[in-house]
Amino acid sequence: MNYRTYAILLLTLCVSLVTFSQNSTDKHYRHLRYNHVSPYIKLAGIYPISAKEALNSSHYTFTYNKQNQLTEVTNYHYATERRHPLASIGAYKTVITYNGNQETRVYLYVNGERVPNDRAVFKEIFTLDKKGNYAKLEFYDLDDNPMESNWGISNYTWKSYKKMIIEQRFNLKGEAKNLSSYFEFGTTGMTFRNDGTPIGKYNLNEDFEIVNNSAGVASYQDTYDENGNHVKYTYHNKEDDLVINPSGLAIGIKIYDDKGNYIKQQHLDTNGKLLRERDVPNNQNIRLSSIASKKDSLEIKRIALGYLKALQELNPVLMDEVLNDSLNKVTIGFNRSIRKEVVTSISREKMIENATDWNKSGTRFPPDPNNQITILDIYHRMATVKLYSDNWVEYLHLIKLDGKWTIINLLWQHKDVNRYPY
Protein backbone atom coordinates (compact mmCIF):
# COMPACT_ATOMS: atom_id res chain seq x y z
CA MET A 1 0.00 0.00 0.00
CA ASN A 2 1.55 3.34 -1.03
CA TYR A 3 1.56 6.49 1.13
CA ARG A 4 -1.28 8.19 -0.78
CA THR A 5 -3.56 5.15 -0.47
CA TYR A 6 -2.76 4.83 3.24
CA ALA A 7 -3.43 8.56 3.81
CA ILE A 8 -6.79 8.29 2.03
CA LEU A 9 -7.69 5.27 4.15
CA LEU A 10 -6.84 7.12 7.38
CA LEU A 11 -8.78 10.20 6.24
CA THR A 12 -11.78 8.02 5.40
CA LEU A 13 -11.60 6.39 8.82
CA CYS A 14 -11.36 9.78 10.55
CA VAL A 15 -14.36 11.14 8.62
CA SER A 16 -16.22 7.94 9.42
CA LEU A 17 -15.41 8.34 13.13
CA VAL A 18 -16.86 11.88 13.14
CA THR A 19 -19.98 10.65 11.34
CA PHE A 20 -20.34 7.73 13.75
CA SER A 21 -20.11 10.03 16.77
CA GLN A 22 -23.07 12.03 15.43
CA ASN A 23 -25.23 9.13 14.28
CA SER A 24 -24.29 6.17 16.42
CA THR A 25 -25.29 4.28 19.53
CA ASP A 26 -22.86 2.65 21.94
CA LYS A 27 -23.55 -0.48 23.96
CA HIS A 28 -21.14 -1.90 26.51
CA TYR A 29 -20.59 -5.57 27.35
CA ARG A 30 -18.28 -7.33 29.80
CA HIS A 31 -17.52 -10.14 27.37
CA LEU A 32 -17.81 -11.37 23.81
CA ARG A 33 -20.06 -14.36 23.28
CA TYR A 34 -17.68 -17.31 23.03
CA ASN A 35 -17.30 -18.79 19.55
CA HIS A 36 -14.93 -21.66 18.75
CA VAL A 37 -17.02 -22.82 15.82
CA SER A 38 -16.80 -20.52 12.80
CA PRO A 39 -16.45 -16.87 11.67
CA TYR A 40 -19.95 -17.36 10.22
CA ILE A 41 -21.25 -16.65 13.72
CA LYS A 42 -21.97 -12.96 14.26
CA LEU A 43 -20.05 -10.92 16.82
CA ALA A 44 -22.14 -10.47 19.95
CA GLY A 45 -21.62 -9.08 23.43
CA ILE A 46 -22.91 -10.59 26.66
CA TYR A 47 -23.38 -9.18 30.17
CA PRO A 48 -24.46 -5.63 29.21
CA ILE A 49 -23.30 -2.84 31.53
CA SER A 50 -23.97 0.91 31.71
CA ALA A 51 -21.64 3.56 30.33
CA LYS A 52 -20.86 4.61 33.90
CA GLU A 53 -19.94 1.07 34.94
CA ALA A 54 -17.85 0.67 31.80
CA LEU A 55 -15.56 3.49 32.95
CA ASN A 56 -14.01 1.20 35.58
CA SER A 57 -14.61 -2.26 34.11
CA SER A 58 -12.96 -4.49 31.56
CA HIS A 59 -15.39 -4.52 28.62
CA TYR A 60 -16.12 -4.20 24.91
CA THR A 61 -17.97 -1.25 23.37
CA PHE A 62 -20.19 -2.05 20.38
CA THR A 63 -21.09 0.94 18.18
CA TYR A 64 -24.16 0.81 15.91
CA ASN A 65 -25.28 3.20 13.16
CA LYS A 66 -28.81 4.44 12.53
CA GLN A 67 -29.55 1.29 10.54
CA ASN A 68 -28.60 -0.73 13.65
CA GLN A 69 -25.57 -2.12 11.84
CA LEU A 70 -22.49 -2.87 13.94
CA THR A 71 -19.81 -0.41 12.82
CA GLU A 72 -17.14 -0.67 15.53
CA VAL A 73 -16.01 -2.90 18.34
CA THR A 74 -13.61 -1.20 20.76
CA ASN A 75 -11.67 -3.60 22.91
CA TYR A 76 -11.31 -2.40 26.50
CA HIS A 77 -11.21 -5.98 27.72
CA TYR A 78 -8.05 -6.38 29.75
CA ALA A 79 -8.91 -9.68 31.48
CA THR A 80 -6.48 -12.53 30.93
CA GLU A 81 -8.66 -14.42 28.48
CA ARG A 82 -7.28 -17.18 26.30
CA ARG A 83 -6.44 -15.91 22.81
CA HIS A 84 -8.16 -17.96 20.10
CA PRO A 85 -8.43 -17.20 16.36
CA LEU A 86 -12.23 -17.51 16.47
CA ALA A 87 -13.08 -16.53 20.06
CA SER A 88 -11.07 -13.31 20.48
CA ILE A 89 -10.25 -10.22 18.41
CA GLY A 90 -6.74 -9.21 19.47
CA ALA A 91 -7.01 -5.60 18.26
CA TYR A 92 -7.96 -2.36 20.02
CA LYS A 93 -10.56 -1.41 17.45
CA THR A 94 -12.48 -3.28 14.78
CA VAL A 95 -13.93 -0.96 12.10
CA ILE A 96 -16.77 -2.43 10.03
CA THR A 97 -18.04 -0.87 6.80
CA TYR A 98 -20.81 -1.91 4.43
CA ASN A 99 -20.93 -1.61 0.65
CA GLY A 100 -23.67 -3.40 -1.28
CA ASN A 101 -23.54 -7.07 -0.34
CA GLN A 102 -20.12 -6.81 1.31
CA GLU A 103 -19.09 -6.27 4.92
CA THR A 104 -15.46 -5.28 5.48
CA ARG A 105 -13.56 -5.38 8.76
CA VAL A 106 -10.19 -3.77 9.44
CA TYR A 107 -8.29 -3.81 12.73
CA LEU A 108 -6.54 -0.89 14.41
CA TYR A 109 -4.07 -0.25 17.20
CA VAL A 110 -4.70 2.56 19.72
CA ASN A 111 -2.76 5.04 17.52
CA GLY A 112 -4.87 4.19 14.45
CA GLU A 113 -2.32 1.98 12.73
CA ARG A 114 -3.67 -1.14 11.09
CA VAL A 115 -2.78 -4.39 12.83
CA PRO A 116 -3.58 -8.08 12.30
CA ASN A 117 -6.34 -9.69 14.35
CA ASP A 118 -6.07 -12.99 16.19
CA ARG A 119 -6.46 -14.82 12.88
CA ALA A 120 -3.27 -12.95 11.84
CA VAL A 121 -4.97 -11.18 8.93
CA PHE A 122 -5.32 -7.44 8.28
CA LYS A 123 -8.63 -7.26 6.46
CA GLU A 124 -11.68 -9.50 6.24
CA ILE A 125 -14.34 -9.14 3.56
CA PHE A 126 -17.63 -10.99 4.04
CA THR A 127 -19.94 -11.43 1.05
CA LEU A 128 -23.65 -11.80 1.83
CA ASP A 129 -26.24 -13.79 -0.11
CA LYS A 130 -29.67 -12.46 -1.17
CA LYS A 131 -31.13 -13.34 2.24
CA GLY A 132 -28.46 -11.35 4.04
CA ASN A 133 -26.57 -14.39 5.32
CA TYR A 134 -22.81 -14.75 5.04
CA ALA A 135 -21.82 -16.67 1.90
CA LYS A 136 -18.07 -16.08 1.76
CA LEU A 137 -15.16 -14.68 3.79
CA GLU A 138 -11.82 -13.65 2.28
CA PHE A 139 -8.61 -12.54 4.02
CA TYR A 140 -6.28 -9.73 2.85
CA ASP A 141 -2.92 -8.25 3.85
CA LEU A 142 -1.99 -4.55 4.19
CA ASP A 143 -1.55 -4.25 0.42
CA ASP A 144 -5.00 -5.77 -0.23
CA ASN A 145 -3.48 -8.98 -1.54
CA PRO A 146 -5.20 -12.25 -0.61
CA MET A 147 -3.48 -13.96 2.32
CA GLU A 148 -3.81 -17.00 4.56
CA SER A 149 -4.68 -16.96 8.24
CA ASN A 150 -2.57 -18.56 10.95
CA TRP A 151 -4.55 -21.74 10.25
CA GLY A 152 -3.52 -21.64 6.57
CA ILE A 153 -7.00 -20.58 5.41
CA SER A 154 -7.50 -17.95 2.71
CA ASN A 155 -11.28 -18.06 2.38
CA TYR A 156 -14.43 -19.65 3.78
CA THR A 157 -17.61 -20.45 1.85
CA TRP A 158 -21.08 -21.12 3.30
CA LYS A 159 -24.36 -22.36 1.85
CA SER A 160 -27.62 -23.76 3.20
CA TYR A 161 -28.34 -27.48 2.98
CA LYS A 162 -31.45 -28.91 4.61
CA LYS A 163 -31.25 -27.64 8.22
CA MET A 164 -27.49 -27.03 8.14
CA ILE A 165 -25.07 -24.37 6.99
CA ILE A 166 -22.31 -26.06 5.01
CA GLU A 167 -18.84 -24.61 5.57
CA GLN A 168 -15.78 -25.22 3.42
CA ARG A 169 -12.33 -23.66 3.74
CA PHE A 170 -9.52 -23.21 1.20
CA ASN A 171 -5.92 -21.99 1.09
CA LEU A 172 -4.47 -19.69 -1.56
CA LYS A 173 -3.92 -22.67 -3.87
CA GLY A 174 -7.60 -23.58 -3.68
CA GLU A 175 -6.88 -26.67 -1.60
CA ALA A 176 -9.44 -27.70 1.01
CA LYS A 177 -8.43 -27.07 4.63
CA ASN A 178 -9.51 -28.57 7.93
CA LEU A 179 -11.58 -26.64 10.43
CA SER A 180 -8.38 -25.68 12.27
CA SER A 181 -4.73 -26.62 12.40
CA TYR A 182 -5.43 -28.96 15.35
CA PHE A 183 -8.87 -30.41 14.57
CA GLU A 184 -9.57 -32.74 11.65
CA PHE A 185 -12.94 -31.72 10.22
CA GLY A 186 -13.08 -31.07 6.47
CA THR A 187 -16.40 -30.06 4.93
CA THR A 188 -18.64 -29.31 7.90
CA GLY A 189 -22.29 -28.73 8.65
CA MET A 190 -23.45 -26.32 11.35
CA THR A 191 -26.75 -26.00 13.17
CA PHE A 192 -27.89 -22.99 15.19
CA ARG A 193 -30.45 -21.85 17.74
CA ASN A 194 -32.75 -18.92 17.04
CA ASP A 195 -30.44 -16.59 19.01
CA GLY A 196 -27.51 -17.41 16.71
CA THR A 197 -25.60 -19.62 19.14
CA PRO A 198 -24.26 -22.83 17.61
CA ILE A 199 -25.76 -26.21 18.48
CA GLY A 200 -23.49 -28.58 16.61
CA LYS A 201 -20.70 -28.83 14.06
CA TYR A 202 -20.60 -32.02 11.98
CA ASN A 203 -17.89 -33.65 9.88
CA LEU A 204 -19.33 -34.41 6.40
CA ASN A 205 -18.34 -36.48 3.38
CA GLU A 206 -18.73 -35.37 -0.24
CA ASP A 207 -22.43 -36.28 -0.10
CA PHE A 208 -22.90 -34.12 3.02
CA GLU A 209 -23.41 -37.19 5.20
CA ILE A 210 -22.17 -37.17 8.80
CA VAL A 211 -19.03 -39.33 9.12
CA ASN A 212 -16.36 -40.00 11.71
CA ASN A 213 -12.94 -38.44 11.29
CA SER A 214 -9.80 -40.53 11.80
CA ALA A 215 -10.13 -40.14 15.60
CA GLY A 216 -13.73 -41.42 15.57
CA VAL A 217 -15.27 -37.96 16.13
CA ALA A 218 -18.16 -36.87 13.91
CA SER A 219 -19.45 -33.82 15.79
CA TYR A 220 -18.97 -31.48 18.69
CA GLN A 221 -21.99 -29.86 20.29
CA ASP A 222 -22.33 -26.73 22.41
CA THR A 223 -24.59 -25.56 25.23
CA TYR A 224 -25.04 -21.91 26.29
CA ASP A 225 -26.82 -20.65 29.40
CA GLU A 226 -29.38 -17.85 29.65
CA ASN A 227 -26.60 -15.26 30.03
CA GLY A 228 -24.87 -16.34 26.84
CA ASN A 229 -22.04 -18.19 28.59
CA HIS A 230 -20.60 -21.20 26.79
CA VAL A 231 -21.10 -23.78 29.56
CA LYS A 232 -20.70 -27.20 27.94
CA TYR A 233 -19.20 -28.87 24.86
CA THR A 234 -19.36 -32.54 23.95
CA TYR A 235 -17.86 -34.86 21.32
CA HIS A 236 -19.84 -37.53 19.45
CA ASN A 237 -19.47 -40.21 16.78
CA LYS A 238 -21.72 -40.49 13.73
CA GLU A 239 -24.29 -42.43 15.80
CA ASP A 240 -24.33 -39.44 18.20
CA ASP A 241 -22.76 -41.43 21.05
CA LEU A 242 -20.28 -39.64 23.28
CA VAL A 243 -16.64 -40.37 22.38
CA ILE A 244 -13.22 -39.35 23.69
CA ASN A 245 -11.64 -36.67 21.50
CA PRO A 246 -7.89 -36.48 20.67
CA SER A 247 -7.36 -34.28 23.75
CA GLY A 248 -8.65 -37.02 26.03
CA LEU A 249 -12.14 -35.84 26.99
CA ALA A 250 -15.73 -36.41 25.92
CA ILE A 251 -17.38 -33.58 27.86
CA GLY A 252 -16.06 -30.16 28.77
CA ILE A 253 -17.71 -28.08 31.47
CA LYS A 254 -17.01 -24.35 31.92
CA ILE A 255 -17.99 -22.57 35.14
CA TYR A 256 -18.45 -18.79 35.47
CA ASP A 257 -18.84 -16.28 38.29
CA ASP A 258 -21.76 -13.86 38.56
CA LYS A 259 -20.06 -11.39 36.19
CA GLY A 260 -19.45 -13.94 33.45
CA ASN A 261 -15.75 -14.48 34.18
CA TYR A 262 -14.65 -18.01 33.26
CA ILE A 263 -13.26 -19.41 36.52
CA LYS A 264 -13.18 -23.23 36.34
CA GLN A 265 -12.82 -25.99 33.74
CA GLN A 266 -13.78 -29.64 34.08
CA HIS A 267 -13.14 -32.57 31.71
CA LEU A 268 -15.33 -35.69 31.87
CA ASP A 269 -15.33 -39.07 30.14
CA THR A 270 -18.20 -40.67 28.18
CA ASN A 271 -19.88 -41.76 31.44
CA GLY A 272 -19.73 -38.30 32.95
CA LYS A 273 -16.90 -39.24 35.30
CA LEU A 274 -14.61 -36.36 36.21
CA LEU A 275 -11.17 -36.80 34.64
CA ARG A 276 -9.54 -33.54 35.72
CA GLU A 277 -10.39 -29.99 36.67
CA ARG A 278 -8.54 -26.73 37.09
CA ASP A 279 -9.19 -23.16 38.12
CA VAL A 280 -8.99 -20.61 35.32
CA PRO A 281 -7.24 -17.40 36.45
CA ASN A 282 -8.45 -13.99 35.36
CA ASN A 283 -7.67 -10.51 36.59
CA GLN A 284 -11.28 -9.79 37.48
CA ASN A 285 -11.02 -12.10 40.48
CA ILE A 286 -7.55 -11.55 41.89
CA ARG A 287 -6.16 -13.55 44.81
CA LEU A 288 -3.23 -11.72 46.34
CA SER A 289 -0.21 -13.59 47.60
CA SER A 290 -0.12 -14.47 51.27
CA ILE A 291 2.75 -13.33 53.52
CA ALA A 292 5.95 -15.22 52.77
CA SER A 293 6.62 -18.25 54.92
CA LYS A 294 9.58 -18.52 57.28
CA LYS A 295 10.81 -21.44 55.17
CA ASP A 296 10.86 -19.29 52.02
CA SER A 297 12.62 -16.43 53.83
CA LEU A 298 15.34 -18.72 55.15
CA GLU A 299 15.83 -20.32 51.75
CA ILE A 300 16.05 -16.95 50.00
CA LYS A 301 18.78 -15.91 52.45
CA ARG A 302 20.64 -19.20 51.96
CA ILE A 303 20.56 -18.95 48.16
CA ALA A 304 21.55 -15.27 48.06
CA LEU A 305 24.43 -15.72 50.52
CA GLY A 306 25.38 -18.94 48.76
CA TYR A 307 26.41 -16.91 45.73
CA LEU A 308 29.04 -15.06 47.83
CA LYS A 309 30.08 -18.15 49.76
CA ALA A 310 30.63 -20.07 46.51
CA LEU A 311 33.21 -17.44 45.48
CA GLN A 312 34.77 -17.21 48.91
CA GLU A 313 34.97 -20.96 49.59
CA LEU A 314 35.77 -22.17 46.05
CA ASN A 315 32.52 -24.10 45.70
CA PRO A 316 31.37 -24.37 42.05
CA VAL A 317 28.68 -26.92 43.01
CA LEU A 318 27.05 -24.34 45.28
CA MET A 319 27.36 -21.65 42.59
CA ASP A 320 25.65 -23.96 40.09
CA GLU A 321 22.84 -24.55 42.60
CA VAL A 322 22.07 -20.91 43.39
CA LEU A 323 22.17 -19.46 39.86
CA ASN A 324 19.20 -19.78 37.52
CA ASP A 325 19.87 -21.04 33.99
CA SER A 326 18.71 -17.64 32.70
CA LEU A 327 20.98 -15.62 35.00
CA ASN A 328 21.54 -12.01 33.97
CA LYS A 329 24.47 -10.52 35.95
CA VAL A 330 25.50 -6.96 35.04
CA THR A 331 27.53 -4.04 36.38
CA ILE A 332 28.84 -0.64 35.34
CA GLY A 333 31.88 -0.61 33.08
CA PHE A 334 33.81 1.95 31.05
CA ASN A 335 34.49 1.59 27.34
CA ARG A 336 37.80 3.30 26.62
CA SER A 337 37.34 3.37 22.85
CA ILE A 338 34.10 5.36 22.98
CA ARG A 339 34.90 7.06 26.31
CA LYS A 340 31.55 6.17 27.74
CA GLU A 341 30.11 4.19 30.64
CA VAL A 342 28.43 0.98 29.54
CA VAL A 343 26.72 -2.06 31.01
CA THR A 344 28.93 -5.15 31.16
CA SER A 345 27.75 -8.66 31.85
CA ILE A 346 29.15 -11.90 33.23
CA SER A 347 27.76 -15.26 32.14
CA ARG A 348 26.52 -18.02 34.39
CA GLU A 349 29.28 -20.30 33.06
CA LYS A 350 31.92 -17.70 33.94
CA MET A 351 30.53 -17.40 37.47
CA ILE A 352 30.82 -21.17 37.99
CA GLU A 353 34.37 -21.01 36.64
CA ASN A 354 35.14 -18.13 39.04
CA ALA A 355 33.89 -20.26 41.94
CA THR A 356 36.55 -22.79 40.95
CA ASP A 357 39.65 -20.60 40.90
CA TRP A 358 38.99 -16.85 41.33
CA ASN A 359 39.85 -16.93 45.07
CA LYS A 360 42.51 -19.65 44.90
CA SER A 361 45.00 -17.33 46.57
CA GLY A 362 42.62 -16.82 49.47
CA THR A 363 43.26 -13.08 49.33
CA ARG A 364 40.16 -11.84 47.49
CA PHE A 365 38.19 -11.61 50.73
CA PRO A 366 39.03 -10.96 54.40
CA PRO A 367 39.64 -14.04 56.61
CA ASP A 368 36.20 -13.48 58.14
CA PRO A 369 34.05 -12.06 55.29
CA ASN A 370 31.37 -9.52 56.16
CA ASN A 371 28.35 -10.79 54.23
CA GLN A 372 25.15 -8.90 55.07
CA ILE A 373 21.73 -9.54 53.54
CA THR A 374 18.43 -7.69 53.58
CA ILE A 375 15.31 -9.14 52.00
CA LEU A 376 13.62 -6.09 50.50
CA ASP A 377 10.45 -7.81 49.30
CA ILE A 378 8.91 -11.22 48.69
CA TYR A 379 5.80 -11.67 46.55
CA HIS A 380 4.69 -15.24 45.95
CA ARG A 381 7.46 -16.63 43.74
CA MET A 382 9.54 -13.46 43.35
CA ALA A 383 11.95 -11.83 45.77
CA THR A 384 14.28 -8.84 45.85
CA VAL A 385 17.40 -8.95 48.02
CA LYS A 386 20.23 -6.52 48.86
CA LEU A 387 23.69 -7.95 49.55
CA TYR A 388 26.32 -5.82 51.27
CA SER A 389 29.80 -7.35 51.54
CA ASP A 390 33.40 -6.23 51.98
CA ASN A 391 33.74 -5.86 48.22
CA TRP A 392 30.37 -5.04 46.66
CA VAL A 393 26.81 -3.78 46.99
CA GLU A 394 24.42 -5.94 44.98
CA TYR A 395 20.71 -6.20 44.23
CA LEU A 396 19.39 -9.66 43.45
CA HIS A 397 16.13 -10.90 41.98
CA LEU A 398 15.21 -14.46 42.90
CA ILE A 399 12.56 -16.66 41.35
CA LYS A 400 10.92 -19.85 42.62
CA LEU A 401 10.50 -22.55 39.98
CA ASP A 402 9.31 -26.08 40.80
CA GLY A 403 9.70 -25.29 44.49
CA LYS A 404 13.32 -24.11 44.18
CA TRP A 405 14.61 -20.55 44.66
CA THR A 406 17.43 -19.36 42.38
CA ILE A 407 19.04 -16.03 41.46
CA ILE A 408 17.83 -14.84 38.04
CA ASN A 409 18.98 -11.18 38.00
CA LEU A 410 22.03 -9.68 39.70
CA LEU A 411 23.05 -6.00 39.50
CA TRP A 412 26.27 -5.09 41.31
CA GLN A 413 28.84 -2.39 41.74
CA HIS A 414 31.99 -1.91 43.81
CA LYS A 415 31.40 -0.80 47.39
CA ASP A 416 34.08 1.87 46.96
CA VAL A 417 32.35 4.50 44.84
CA ASN A 418 35.70 6.24 44.20
CA ARG A 419 36.31 3.55 41.58
CA TYR A 420 33.76 5.32 39.36
CA PRO A 421 34.56 8.55 37.51
CA TYR A 422 31.35 10.33 38.54
Side-chain angles (χ1 to χ4, degrees):
M1 179 182 294
N2 60 38
Y3 177 81
R4 184 173 181 275
T5 303
Y6 183 67
I8 292 172
L9 174 62
L10 285 180
L11 179 62
T12 302
L13 289 174
C14 290
V15 172
S16 299
L17 289 174
V18 173
T19 304
F20 292 160
S21 65
Q22 296 172 342
N23 302 293
S24 63
T25 300
D26 287 345
K27 296 181 180 179
H28 310 283
Y29 301 94
R30 290 191 185 278
H31 308 285
L32 293 179
R33 183 176 64 192
Y34 185 77
N35 164 31
H36 66 152
V37 174
S38 168
Y40 181 86
I41 297 170
K42 298 289 180 67
L43 285 169
I46 59 173
Y47 285 83
I49 57 176
S50 67
K52 182 178 180 181
E53 191 174 3
L55 292 174
N56 297 301
S57 300
S58 172
H59 70 282
Y60 296 90
T61 295
F62 281 46
T63 301
Y64 298 86
N65 62 18
K66 283 189 173 182
Q67 290 73 44
N68 201 35
Q69 294 172 312
L70 180 62
T71 54
E72 285 184 5
V73 178
T74 307
N75 185 353
Y76 300 106
H77 194 275
Y78 48 81
T80 53
E81 62 184 353
R82 179 184 177 188
R83 303 292 285 269
H84 184 283
L86 294 175
S88 58
I89 295 174
Y92 169 72
K93 192 179 290 291
T94 304
V95 176
I96 307 172
T97 56
Y98 302 88
N99 183 19
N101 69 333
Q102 289 191 331
E103 173 187 317
T104 300
R105 300 179 189 175
V106 296
Y107 302 89
L108 307 178
Y109 185 54
V110 176
N111 64 5
E113 291 183 6
R114 287 180 61 187
V115 294
N117 63 7
D118 278 346
R119 290 190 270 274
V121 301
F122 287 88
K123 179 190 284 189
E124 301 184 333
I125 297 181
F126 291 83
T127 301
L128 284 67
D129 63 20
K130 293 180 180 179
K131 294 182 179 180
N133 298 315
Y134 290 146
K136 190 172 185 178
L137 168 61
E138 299 167 290
F139 298 141
Y140 295 89
D141 64 17
L142 275 175
D143 296 317
D144 286 336
N145 297 314
M147 68 173 295
E148 294 178 353
S149 72
N150 47 16
W151 283 349
I153 298 169
S154 173
N155 65 82
Y156 290 76
T157 64
W158 298 289
K159 63 182 178 182
S160 297
Y161 177 77
K162 296 183 178 179
K163 295 183 178 181
M164 294 190 295
I165 299 296
I166 304 298
E167 176 179 285
Q168 293 178 302
R169 299 156 298 274
F170 304 92
N171 63 17
L172 285 172
K173 296 179 180 179
E175 299 165 335
K177 297 292 293 182
N178 280 327
L179 181 148
S180 75
S181 57
Y182 56 85
F183 201 81
E184 183 200 328
F185 268 27
T187 299
T188 54
M190 302 181 292
T191 57
F192 298 92
R193 298 175 183 85
N194 291 334
D195 64 2
T197 56
I199 300 172
K201 187 135 188 172
Y202 301 89
N203 188 46
L204 307 178
N205 63 16
E206 61 273 11
D207 297 318
F208 299 156
E209 298 169 330
I210 299 172
V211 294
N212 294 333
N213 68 6
S214 63
V217 179
S219 72
Y220 61 89
Q221 301 174 26
D222 295 297
T223 302
Y224 290 76
D225 67 13
E226 65 276 6
N227 294 313
N229 295 315
H230 180 240
V231 295
K232 184 178 180 181
Y233 51 102
T234 56
Y235 296 85
H236 305 255
N237 61 19
K238 65 179 182 180
E239 286 80 27
D240 206 31
D241 300 321
L242 284 168
V243 294
I244 299 293
N245 78 349
S247 298
L249 69 142
I251 303 169
I253 302 293
K254 297 165 72 176
I255 299 170
Y256 301 80
D257 65 16
D258 59 356
K259 288 184 169 57
N261 297 308
Y262 177 28
I263 60 173
K264 185 181 284 292
Q265 176 191 82
Q266 296 177 332
H267 291 169
L268 290 74
D269 66 12
T270 56
N271 298 312
K273 179 182 177 181
L274 182 66
L275 298 170
R276 52 193 170 268
E277 65 179 355
R278 70 177 182 92
D279 293 331
V280 178
N282 73 79
N283 65 4
Q284 301 301 292
N285 185 23
I286 296 172
R287 181 174 67 86
L288 297 177
S289 173
S290 58
I291 297 173
S293 69
K294 183 178 180 180
K295 179 181 177 182
D296 274 327
S297 297
L298 291 173
E299 185 64 3
I300 288 167
K301 287 183 178 181
R302 186 185 75 83
I303 293 296
L305 288 172
Y307 146 71
L308 285 176
K309 289 182 177 180
L311 287 174
Q312 294 163 350
E313 300 171 5
L314 298 178
N315 191 340
V317 174
L318 178 59
M319 186 67 82
D320 183 55
E321 176 192 355
V322 302
L323 300 182
N324 189 273
D325 290 342
S326 300
L327 173 75
N328 180 43
K329 181 180 180 181
V330 297
T331 190
I332 301 165
F334 189 79
N335 187 310
R336 296 179 185 276
S337 62
I338 62 174
R339 308 295 299 170
K340 184 178 180 181
E341 285 190 319
V342 294
V343 172
T344 62
S345 62
I346 301 173
S347 70
R348 182 180 192 276
E349 292 73 21
K350 181 62 176 176
M351 288 306 303
I352 295 172
E353 181 184 327
N354 284 348
T356 302
D357 57 20
W358 189 69
N359 190 36
K360 264 188 176 180
S361 66
T363 60
R364 299 278 189 174
F365 302 91
D368 185 17
N370 179 28
N371 300 334
Q372 298 180 34
I373 180 171
T374 301
I375 297 178
L376 301 176
D377 186 59
I378 305 173
Y379 188 86
H380 197 217
R381 304 203 299 179
M382 305 182 295
T384 302
V385 169
K386 181 179 180 180
L387 283 182
Y388 192 84
S389 67
D390 299 282
N391 306 63
W392 311 292
V393 175
E394 309 179 67
Y395 291 97
L396 283 61
H397 283 151
L398 287 84
I399 187 171
K400 188 178 185 181
L401 298 174
D402 295 323
K404 179 185 176 183
W405 287 98
T406 54
I407 301 165
I408 191 164
N409 292 321
L410 199 160
L411 174 64
W412 69 278
Q413 73 170 58
H414 291 284
K415 185 176 176 181
D416 179 9
V417 296
N418 289 325
R419 297 183 64 137
Y420 299 96
Y422 304 109

